Amino acid sequence: MSDLYKKTLSEVAVKLQSGELKAVEAVRNCLDRIEATESRVKALITVTGDEALALAEAMDSQGPDANKPLWGVPIVLKDLLATKGVRTTCASKILDNFVPFYDATAVSKLREAGAIIIGKANMDEFAMGSSTENSAFFQTGNPWDTDRVPGGSSGGSGATVAAGQCYAALGTDTGGSIRLPASFCGIVGLKPTYGRVSRFGMIAYGSSLDQIGPMTRSVADAARMLQVLAGHDPKDSTSVDVDVPDYLAALGRENLDGVTIGLPEEYWGEGLDAEVEEACKAAVAKMEALGAKTVQVKLSLTDYAIATYYIIAMAEASSNLSRFDGVRFGHRNKDASELIDMYTSSRTEGFGDEVQRRIIMGTYVLSSGYYDAYYNKAAKVRRLLREDFDKAFEQCDLIAGPVCPTTAFKAGEKADPLQMYLMDIFTISANLAGLPGMSLPVGLGKDSGMPVGLQFMGPAFCEADMLSVTECLERNLDPMPMAEL
Ligand code: GLN
């Protein structure tokens, strides 16, 4: 088998533009790789092979288009992004047979840029989870060790990129769901600033937290994807109308002179696995050697972040998921004799345990007797948390710390939901504050042999700086190998 699957998106895009590689060959190669690996990885809910090949053939007959930066590049989407005519399930039984009649804005932008969608990736049901074990359909294996989870909730997106089945995938991140699977699978994951990328056509989980972003095998690939995705969309009133910088032009800096990196003491202390700490510290030392200055910063509300996040996310989820009632959308129990019975049984059959747990908790924290005690308080803590970040960014340009206290764990190991929620401790603050966050693979843990991701967070709309710093670091670290499959 050709080793084309090991190339990065940027490398393949150049080959496609020059005509050295035909779009059909690129697609066929990915489909072959899916064929060779999918029985072990199980990253994809839907493979749109025939459609992708037909489109590639039509594109090849026209020839490459220099105005389309992703011309001919095979890409996978998390299965909560609406795709016209292609089943979109959210990995839930309730949307088992849902076929949207429109594309999400992020999807149309990829198509306009010439990308070819080859499949839809597995995920935790409705993006609720940190391991992809909550999918109603099947579990995804981590390409580095298929007994371990790929992280979640965009675990299928992480695994498909790490397995070389495509050149990039879209994930979504409400509390870490791009960064965590990127870290566990040894790839790059970027959650943009809230409002940077349109959420139109993304099936919402926590609307004030959700962002769509790229998962790729290099920082340059992430920059290339973000360039296409970013920008105002009149169909999403929370997408922000600010200029989109040239992300690719930000790459290639020689060193990190003049960059100050903040290290939050709350992220580097107790509870962090030794192998994660070691790999992350080595990357920080590399940044110092490249000229960066490091300072200690405080994110003193970190201890409250999980409670705050889960109150807000569940509240928003309970409201967002009320539309799946078997009438307007979703599975319907056809045997129910009365209306209320039909709602209850359709939702009971359609939603998995974790989703039901969150709908119940979310409804509870929004109920009139408890709203002030929970939701209102969480909203206030959220504001304070943002202020913590603002203060930290008076001292530094970017913050660095681990993505997760551990490397990828074994499937079934975290059966207790609270244990699972703890995996999000370092990632959810960026969502609560609306700030960009990124995971960069910095090596393999010396005990588990599994990938370790270093997280960067920065002020709103600093993606160009973040990409510039991480690309410089990436170029100076040992190259991240691909998983052997
Ligand atoms: N693990 C978090 C949750 O379950 C984050 C999920 C996400 O970012 N979509 O809510």
XYZ file of all heavy atoms in Angstrom, residues 78 153-154 171-181 190-192 202 209-213 427-428 431 437:
191
model
N -17.278 15.296 12.007
C -17.973 14.744 13.176
C -19.454 14.642 12.840
O -20.011 15.542 12.210
C -17.742 15.672 14.368
C -18.275 15.164 15.704
C -17.872 16.113 16.834
C -18.311 15.628 18.189
N -17.858 16.546 19.272
N -15.376 14.341 23.098
C -16.374 13.565 22.397
C -16.057 13.368 20.912
O -16.653 12.504 20.272
C -17.754 14.235 22.524
O -17.712 15.519 21.916
N -15.096 14.126 20.359
C -14.785 13.963 18.928
C -13.771 12.829 18.721
O -12.776 12.987 18.009
C -14.221 15.269 18.343
O -14.972 16.387 18.735
N -13.970 18.581 14.323
C -14.523 18.183 15.606
C -15.300 19.354 16.157
O -15.333 20.435 15.553
N -15.928 19.143 17.305
C -16.508 20.282 18.020
C -16.073 20.180 19.466
O -15.779 19.101 19.968
C -18.049 20.295 17.957
O -18.554 19.119 18.607
C -18.546 20.354 16.514
N -16.012 21.334 20.107
C -15.430 21.415 21.451
C -16.334 22.288 22.316
O -16.456 23.478 22.089
C -14.021 22.035 21.314
C -13.180 21.946 22.567
O -13.691 22.309 23.638
O -11.994 21.531 22.482
N -16.992 21.648 23.274
C -17.887 22.342 24.204
C -17.194 22.489 25.549
O -17.415 23.452 26.285
C -19.198 21.524 24.363
O -19.724 21.279 23.064
C -20.223 22.236 25.224
N -16.334 21.483 25.848
C -15.596 21.500 27.114
C -14.241 20.826 26.948
O -13.613 20.432 27.926
N -13.820 20.617 25.714
C -12.518 19.977 25.499
C -12.545 18.931 24.398
O -11.534 18.271 24.125
N -13.667 18.779 23.740
C -13.856 17.639 22.845
C -13.056 17.653 21.559
O -13.064 16.667 20.826
C -15.329 17.476 22.506
O -15.976 16.905 23.599
N -12.365 18.743 21.257
C -11.379 18.694 20.178
C -10.010 18.412 20.786
O -9.253 17.554 20.329
C -11.348 20.029 19.391
C -12.605 20.177 18.539
C -10.080 20.118 18.534
C -12.726 21.498 17.798
N -9.704 19.144 21.854
C -8.353 19.062 22.429
C -8.068 17.717 23.087
O -6.965 17.174 22.969
C -8.164 20.212 23.442
C -8.073 21.575 22.765
C -8.374 22.700 23.737
N -9.793 22.787 24.025
C -10.325 23.381 25.081
N -9.540 23.919 25.986
N -11.632 23.429 25.253
N -9.044 17.152 23.785
C -8.798 15.876 24.482
C -8.527 14.724 23.504
O -7.501 14.036 23.628
C -9.960 15.562 25.426
C -9.762 14.330 26.295
C -8.620 14.530 27.286
C -11.039 13.986 27.053
N -9.384 14.491 22.516
C -9.049 13.419 21.560
C -7.787 13.721 20.746
O -7.066 12.793 20.378
C -10.287 13.309 20.660
C -11.129 14.484 20.940
C -10.741 15.032 22.272
N -7.545 22.181 17.340
C -7.684 23.615 17.632
C -9.145 23.972 17.860
O -9.985 23.782 16.979
C -7.126 24.433 16.452
C -7.378 25.942 16.474
C -6.731 26.597 17.691
C -6.845 26.596 15.209
N -9.420 24.463 19.074
C -10.741 25.045 19.339
C -10.620 26.553 19.191
O -9.937 27.209 19.975
C -11.208 24.748 20.761
C -12.563 25.404 21.055
C -12.858 25.548 22.535
C -12.555 26.888 23.138
N -13.432 27.988 22.704
N -11.248 27.122 18.179
C -11.126 28.567 17.984
C -11.886 29.355 19.060
O -12.666 28.786 19.823
C -11.760 28.780 16.607
C -11.881 27.420 15.989
C -12.008 26.462 17.125
N -24.539 22.999 13.079
C -23.985 22.077 14.078
C -25.123 21.782 15.047
O -25.756 22.710 15.551
C -22.841 22.757 14.843
C -22.462 21.998 16.086
S -21.366 22.924 17.172
C -21.303 21.753 18.529
N -21.102 27.494 24.579
C -19.762 26.906 24.770
C -19.226 26.262 23.483
O -18.000 26.188 23.288
C -19.828 25.816 25.846
C -20.368 26.220 27.225
C -20.935 25.010 27.954
C -19.275 26.861 28.061
N -20.122 25.794 22.624
C -19.745 25.000 21.446
C -18.895 25.788 20.440
O -19.221 26.925 20.122
C -21.000 24.571 20.659
C -21.977 23.679 21.427
O -21.549 23.017 22.374
O -23.163 23.634 21.037
N -17.871 25.177 19.920
C -17.157 25.708 18.743
C -16.708 24.546 17.861
O -16.358 23.486 18.355
C -15.908 26.494 19.147
C -16.096 28.018 19.211
C -16.467 28.678 17.890
O -15.628 28.856 17.022
N -17.726 29.053 17.721
N -16.713 24.801 16.561
C -16.222 23.818 15.585
C -14.746 24.114 15.322
O -14.366 25.290 15.279
C -17.002 23.965 14.257
C -18.489 23.704 14.487
C -16.423 23.048 13.182
C -19.373 24.049 13.289
N -13.939 23.086 15.143
C -12.534 23.347 14.831
C -11.867 22.166 14.154
O -12.412 21.059 14.118
N -9.504 21.610 30.347
C -9.973 22.106 29.046
C -11.212 22.994 29.128
O -11.390 23.883 28.298
C -10.284 20.928 28.085
O -11.090 19.975 28.779
C -9.023 20.284 27.580
N -12.060 22.760 30.139
C -13.367 23.448 30.132
C -13.280 24.938 30.392
O -14.162 25.674 29.961
C -14.340 22.836 31.157
C -13.663 22.696 32.495
C -14.863 21.537 30.691
C -14.449 21.889 33.474
N -13.593 27.112 27.354
C -14.952 27.220 26.805
C -15.784 28.181 27.638
O -16.532 28.994 27.095
C -15.635 25.847 26.782
C -14.854 24.847 25.959
O -13.826 24.337 26.407
N -15.292 24.581 24.747
N -8.228 27.497 22.323
C -7.362 26.507 22.974
C -6.899 25.512 21.940
O -7.570 25.278 20.932
